[in-house]
């Protein structure tokens, strides 16, 4: 995965995950986020108190939006 994130005052302001090979992406965050692939919302599974996982496709680009 290739990850780019922007922060302000310790909080996520923007994020992007690019999946090179596909598979599950595991994201650790204390902040609530929504995950989008273009205009499509991606369903993430909470696997631990501060951890989300979501499926990705090879070459997929996923935007992280703070709630």
């Amino acid at each position: 995965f290739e990850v780019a994130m922007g922060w302000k005052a310790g909080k996520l302001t923007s994020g992007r995950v690019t999946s090179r090979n596909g598979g599950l992406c595991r994201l650790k965050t204390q902040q609530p986020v929504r995950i989008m692939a273009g205009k499509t919302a991606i369903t993430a599974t909470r696997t631990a108190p501060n951890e989300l996982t979501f499926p990705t496709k090879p070459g997929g680009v996923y935007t992280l939006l703070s709630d």
Side-chain angles (χ1 to χ4, degrees):
F1 297 100
E2 180 180 305
V3 179
M5 292 190 179
W7 302 90
K8 183 175 183 179
K11 296 196 176 197
L12 179 70
T13 57
S14 63
R16 186 180 69 234
V17 175
T18 303
S19 177
R20 297 289 179 203
N21 300 315
L24 282 179
C25 179
R26 181 173 291 127
L27 177 67
K28 294 195 178 212
T29 177
Q30 294 179 1
Q31 185 177 332
V33 296
R34 288 179 290 132
I35 303 163
M36 303 293 291
K39 294 183 179 184
T40 303
I42 301 299
T43 301
T45 302
R46 184 157 304 279
T47 51
N50 296 325
E51 183 177 277
L52 299 172
T53 60
F54 61 97
T56 69
K57 296 180 181 179
V61 177
Y62 303 87
T63 303
L64 308 176
L65 303 172
S66 61
D67 285 340

